[in-house]
Amino acid sequence: MSPKDVSSSGKSGSGAFTPGRILVLVIAVLSVVFIAENTEDVEVRLIVPLVTAPLYVWLVVMFAAGMACGAYVFRRRPK
């Protein structure tokens, strides 16, 4: 039996609710609440044009951009 075949009997870090997943879930819920609370119109300069839209639109766009960047940086590469 190799060391990789041995499984620990402890519950920490196994199953659907690991500490990392719980933390990500809490951050996601707080992000959604923050976005829902900020609905007023704001002006955002996109290099040259000045665009007016509700703040939640910009927050969702930046959240999606951050998720895409994180997925790209931390993606699993075949060995």
Side-chain angles (χ1 to χ4, degrees):
M1 184 185 263
S2 69
K4 292 183 180 181
D5 293 337
V6 177
S7 62
S8 64
S9 61
K11 294 286 184 182
S12 177
S14 63
F17 295 107
T18 63
R21 289 180 183 168
I22 292 171
L23 179 64
V24 168
L25 182 64
V26 167
I27 291 171
V29 168
L30 290 175
S31 298
V32 169
V33 170
F34 182 76
I35 289 169
E37 292 292 325
N38 291 286
T39 58
E40 65 275 357
D41 284 348
V42 294
E43 292 180 341
V44 175
R45 181 169 302 278
L46 299 173
I47 301 182
V48 175
L50 189 63
V51 181
T52 302
L55 182 57
Y56 70 85
V57 171
W58 300 115
L59 291 171
V60 168
V61 167
M62 294 312 300
F63 182 75
M67 294 292 288
C69 289
Y72 176 76
V73 170
F74 294 108
R75 71 183 187 275
R76 295 184 183 186
R77 296 184 181 109
K79 294 193 180 208

